[in-house]
Amino acid sequence: MPYKRNPMRSERCCALSRHLMVLVNDAYQTAAVQWFERTLDDSANRRISIAEAFLTADIVLSTLQNVSEGLVVYPKVMERHIRQELPFMATENILMAMVGKGADRQECHEIIRQLSQEASKQVKELGLENDLIDRIRSNKYFAPVHDELDKLLNPALFVGRAPEQVVRFLEVDVRPAILPYLHLMEGTVELNV
């Protein structure tokens, strides 16, 4: 599609990765019928499949590196998507805040459900912006939490421990695994497509 930035390379990675995953079946089939006896069908198969697997893995990794090096992130697009979905995600927090202020959970749940369905119709059927928070702000029932809505809609409340987990994973698992190979990772990958 013309609007995509790197579809050929990304799609090539997907196709070659599927091929690489299938190559492991050569080894499974050989093990199943040969019981690791050294016969010609074992070595003939290995000469093709092992070399092909290494070559395929190499080009998949090189292509992924090339795509990653040219990766562009659009924070404004991300913000727009978050603004569209966050109100629906925040309904449970709004419900709990209302219950904390003394509201009946079942009654509050039903009102939020109705407002959410109305807002969902605006988004899904009419192609309009998500107006759930405006509906909640204009509903007197939610007056006890109107002042807290901005705080309840903080996107950071919805990621849990993901930031810490990512940092820990990179430091504990990824960095030690790539450290011996850092000298091989210098430079960029150029592809001629």
Side-chain angles (χ1 to χ4, degrees):
M1 297 187 179
Y3 70 91
K4 292 183 177 180
R5 294 182 71 102
N6 55 13
M8 288 173 40
R9 290 173 288 160
S10 297
E11 290 165 1
R12 181 179 298 143
C13 285
C14 290
L16 291 173
S17 295
R18 284 194 309 272
H19 175 66
L20 182 58
M21 290 186 292
V22 170
L23 284 176
V24 75
N25 288 320
D26 283 345
Y28 291 158
Q29 293 298 321
T30 300
V33 298
Q34 291 299 308
W35 301 322
F36 293 110
E37 291 180 17
R38 181 118 169 94
T39 62
L40 291 179
D41 68 332
D42 173 33
S43 61
N45 182 300
R46 288 165 40 120
R47 279 194 295 269
I48 295 169
S49 64
I50 292 175
E52 195 171 319
F54 277 101
L55 290 170
T56 304
D58 181 64
I59 194 59
V60 167
L61 293 173
S62 295
T63 306
L64 283 174
Q65 181 180 345
N66 179 264
V67 169
S68 299
E69 287 168 350
L71 189 65
V72 177
V73 176
Y74 297 103
K76 294 297 181 190
V77 173
M78 294 166 50
E79 288 173 20
R80 190 180 91 238
H81 287 300
I82 290 170
R83 278 195 313 275
Q84 280 293 103
E85 295 301 322
L86 190 59
F88 295 128
M89 294 168 52
T91 55
E92 188 69 25
N93 291 1
I94 295 168
L95 173 69
M96 297 310 293
M98 283 293 292
V99 170
K101 302 276 184 174
D104 177 79
R105 188 190 185 289
Q106 287 304 114
E107 181 183 11
C108 186
H109 182 277
E110 181 58 24
I111 295 170
I112 288 179
R113 189 187 69 75
Q114 290 173 4
L115 295 176
S116 294
Q117 295 300 318
E118 293 167 7
S120 180
K121 181 179 179 181
Q122 297 293 307
V123 173
K124 295 175 182 172
E125 294 179 22
L126 304 176
L128 301 174
E129 293 294 316
N130 187 338
D131 65 352
L132 177 58
I133 299 306
D134 293 334
R135 291 172 186 272
I136 290 172
R137 285 188 201 280
S138 65
N139 190 312
K140 291 179 184 174
Y141 179 81
F142 293 98
V145 296
H146 281 167
D147 293 340
E148 298 176 37
L149 285 176
D150 288 337
K151 185 177 82 172
L152 294 171
L153 289 164
N154 179 357
L157 296 175
F158 298 90
V159 296
R161 294 195 56 242
E164 294 88 2
Q165 290 172 327
V166 168
V167 168
R168 184 179 186 285
F169 174 70
L170 291 174
E171 290 173 354
V172 173
D173 295 310
V174 175
R175 182 146 179 78
I178 65 173
L179 205 53
Y181 308 101
L182 281 180
H183 67 284
L184 299 173
M185 296 178 173
E186 296 172 0
T188 59
V189 173
E190 301 223 6
L191 296 178
N192 296 318
V193 182

